[in-house]
Amino acid sequence: MFTTVGNRGTMHLGLCLRVLILAALTVPIRAAQPAQETFTLTVPDGPTSTLSGSSVSLLCQVSPLFNVEPLEVRWYRSSNFHSLALLYKYHKIQEAPVDPQYSGRVSLTGGMERGNVSLTLERVTLEDKGEYVCQVTSKQWYEKASVFLTVNVTGSEPVLSVAEARGGGGQVNVTCSSAGWSPQPKLIWTNKEGTEIRNGQEVLNTSDPQGLVSVSSWLLYAPSYSDWLACTVSLSEEVKRESRILPLIYTAPTAVPGVYKEAYILILVLLVLSPVIICALCSVILWKRRGSMWSSSRKSRNSSDQTELGQRPTETKNLIEGAENTVKTLTRQRAAGKGGNLKETNNSIEGAETTVKTPTEYIAFENIILDEKTAHPAIRVNQEKQRAHYIKEKDTEKRFRMHLHVFSQESFSSGRHYWEVKVKDGTTEKLSWYVGVARENVERRPIVPLTPQNGFWILSFDKEKGFHVNTDPQSPITVAELTIVGVFLDCDRHTLSFYNVDTESLLYTFTDVKTFNYFPVFSPGQRDIFTIRII
């Protein structure tokens, strides 16, 4: 019996020893997994890109894989170790000391039990771009690696314009500009076949204090009525903006261009003389039929005919002469009090008072009236509401300062419209002014620049700076002297052109003037008291 018991005791003792040995071999291995003596960090080779306003993960992985929850994890900007984006310590994310700009926007979402310490950053801003350092620290070891973040900001739609190239040669200067990009974008020109155009182009990049890049380019190109140009500004194939334009110069609108002139004059004369011919025929017929009654009838009709035909002899002559001249001549006649009667002289021509027919379109010659209610407090509008000048501002008015201009009562949403502004009288030269159009309900505070993006398309003059149009950046206009500015608005083609009326030459054309309602805008400047006048 004892032997038997002894054998059983020996068997139990051997079994216990085997269990203890197995436990000794397995338990230390499991306990050592989260406490590697050394490790490395794996991060992306290149920069990580994201769009402004989105979320992004900055990848960082411990190798070999093990549970890093007991370790310390730091994410910080490379320029400042103590300015932390995130601090994980004592098994939780610490609220301090963390840079306030990252508060509520950062987290560790990769799975720390699998060695993933990637940083997730939400609501990314342009200020978040740069180098970040991922640092993991244990009691025996620490390792760190850098991750680079780039923040992509998509800029504005490219604004295209076309002007006559200096030196002529049958070429035009096409300009493309776009603002608000990050990082620096790529700008390319392509034709309608999609072929990139490299010859004759210049590209300029500028940065603002916020780090956003504005890009502009100039391209010399032969104008065409069928081949459009495309300007594409891009950060990648997915992030890009494109605008297109037909590189044409729109000449000053004329009453009757080209070969249609003679035919137009002939038709006009026939239309004017037709009442006389009809009356003469009627008189002959009545004379033959009524005999003695012809004399009285003739007197009555002649009296009526003379009243009708003699009423506007000067206006008829002016209308015919206007068909041989430019828009300038017609509008000057109207300003002199003649154009207002053209409608009575030529009833069969549509809107002859305000339009002159060309082969393809009608152009309205506008009698612009200034809206005194919209004028800056330092602008005075005359009784006829066609002159404006600057007066010295009072201190109370300066406190409510806004852009110094006045709008017209009229607004335009379709059709083609032309008006003229006299900016110089005799030897008196103004020191500053601007004219153009603006969209409805534009912001009038001076902190808002007068740019196409903010709803203004203007030609301006400053004695020291010269003539400019308000592209971004501003485009200088070379002109020796300017007395009368012609403004031609084509609502249907979304173009706005400025002309030197004295020389009948184009100064500049905006080709992307898009809004629902256009208001002519006028500013006499604030450096002198001389007027500008609508004529």
Side-chain angles (χ1 to χ4, degrees), residues 132-151:
Y132 289 79
V133 177
C134 170
Q135 178 174 313
V136 180
T137 305
S138 67
K139 292 181 180 181
Q140 299 88 10
W141 188 259
Y142 81 91
E143 192 63 73
K144 60 182 179 180
S146 293
V147 181
F148 293 86
L149 174 64
T150 60
V151 179

Side-chain angles (χ1 to χ4, degrees), residues 429-432 461-468 527:
E429 183 177 10
K430 289 188 59 58
L431 301 179
S432 65
F461 171 74
D462 185 272
K463 181 65 174 177
E464 283 73 32
K465 299 178 181 178
F467 298 92
H468 288 82
R527 300 181 56 188

Side-chain angles (χ1 to χ4, degrees), residues 9-21:
T10 302
M11 291 174 63
H12 285 295
L13 179 61
L15 179 61
C16 290
L17 287 173
R18 284 194 293 271
V19 171
L20 289 174
I21 292 172

Side-chain angles (χ1 to χ4, degrees), residues 409-423:
Q409 292 181 2
E410 305 89 345
S411 64
F412 310 115
S413 59
S414 63
R416 295 162 174 80
H417 310 271
Y418 181 84
W419 61 95
E420 294 174 351
V421 185
K422 194 166 188 177
V423 294

Side-chain angles (χ1 to χ4, degrees), residues 390-451:
Y390 171 77
I391 63 171
K392 186 176 181 181
E393 296 179 73
K394 299 178 181 178
D395 293 337
T396 55
E397 293 168 350
K398 290 183 179 179
R399 291 201 298 268
F400 302 99
R401 195 172 183 85
M402 54 188 176
H403 286 302
L404 198 143
H405 53 233
V406 57
F407 294 102
S408 68
Q409 292 181 2
E410 305 89 345
S411 64
F412 310 115
S413 59
S414 63
R416 295 162 174 80
H417 310 271
Y418 181 84
W419 61 95
E420 294 174 351
V421 185
K422 194 166 188 177
V423 294
K424 182 179 179 181
D425 279 317
T427 58
T428 301
E429 183 177 10
K430 289 188 59 58
L431 301 179
S432 65
W433 52 262
Y434 59 82
V435 296
V437 300
R439 69 167 180 252
E440 190 173 9
N441 299 325
V442 290
E443 177 62 65
R444 299 195 64 183
R445 292 179 299 166
I447 61 173
V448 178
L450 297 174
T451 62

Side-chain angles (χ1 to χ4, degrees), residues 146-413:
S146 293
V147 181
F148 293 86
L149 174 64
T150 60
V151 179
N152 296 338
V153 180
T154 305
S156 61
E157 290 284 349
V159 177
L160 292 169
S161 59
V162 59
E164 186 175 359
R166 293 181 180 178
Q171 290 187 315
V172 293
N173 187 357
V174 188
T175 304
C176 175
S177 60
S178 180
W181 294 86
S182 179
Q184 180 175 309
K186 178 182 179 182
L187 186 149
I188 63 171
W189 294 91
T190 54
N191 57 24
K192 70 176 184 178
E193 286 79 23
T195 304
E196 183 176 352
I197 302 171
R198 299 178 180 271
N199 297 330
Q201 66 163 313
E202 298 289 340
V203 179
L204 174 65
N205 295 287
T206 58
S207 298
D208 63 15
Q210 289 74 38
L212 294 175
V213 178
S214 296
V215 60
S216 56
S217 178
W218 298 264
L219 176 69
L220 291 175
Y221 196 74
S224 170
Y225 286 89
S226 59
D227 295 338
W228 49 258
L229 284 177
C231 175
T232 304
V233 184
S234 64
L235 298 174
S236 64
E237 281 298 321
E238 295 76 24
V239 183
K240 63 182 178 181
R241 291 189 182 274
E242 180 181 283
S243 294
R244 299 178 180 182
I245 190 173
L246 279 173
L248 300 177
I249 292 290
Y250 295 104
T251 57
T254 58
V256 184
V259 297
Y260 294 90
K261 186 181 299 181
E262 292 79 4
Y264 181 86
I265 295 176
L266 178 60
I267 293 173
L268 184 61
V269 172
L270 291 176
L271 289 174
V272 172
L273 295 179
S274 59
V276 178
I277 297 172
I278 293 172
C279 289
L281 291 174
C282 290
S283 298
V284 172
I285 293 172
L286 289 174
W287 175 74
K288 289 183 177 180
R289 289 187 177 181
R290 298 186 181 180
S292 62
M293 296 177 60
W294 174 83
S295 179
S296 60
S297 298
R298 182 188 179 197
K299 290 180 181 179
S300 176
R301 270 191 294 276
N302 283 344
S303 175
S304 175
D305 293 342
Q306 291 299 322
T307 301
E308 181 179 355
L309 297 175
Q311 195 172 8
R312 304 288 182 226
T314 304
E315 289 77 4
T316 302
K317 180 174 180 293
N318 288 334
L319 182 58
I320 297 174
E321 291 176 349
E324 300 175 340
N325 296 316
T326 62
V327 169
K328 167 178 66 74
T329 305
L330 283 172
T331 52
R332 285 180 176 174
Q333 290 171 350
R334 184 171 62 83
K338 300 175 183 178
N341 295 320
L342 295 181
K343 185 175 182 180
E344 297 178 25
T345 309
N346 186 19
N347 292 325
S348 62
I349 295 180
E350 294 184 36
E353 177 188 3
T354 57
T355 64
V356 177
K357 189 174 182 182
T358 71
T360 59
E361 62 188 8
Y362 287 94
I363 303 167
F365 298 84
E366 302 298 341
N367 183 26
I368 301 295
I369 302 298
L370 299 177
D371 187 356
E372 194 171 7
K373 296 179 182 178
T374 66
H376 184 281
I379 291 180
R380 290 294 178 267
V381 177
N382 74 332
Q383 186 174 1
E384 291 76 18
K385 295 181 170 44
Q386 290 194 317
R387 296 174 183 258
H389 69 276
Y390 171 77
I391 63 171
K392 186 176 181 181
E393 296 179 73
K394 299 178 181 178
D395 293 337
T396 55
E397 293 168 350
K398 290 183 179 179
R399 291 201 298 268
F400 302 99
R401 195 172 183 85
M402 54 188 176
H403 286 302
L404 198 143
H405 53 233
V406 57
F407 294 102
S408 68
Q409 292 181 2
E410 305 89 345
S411 64
F412 310 115
S413 59

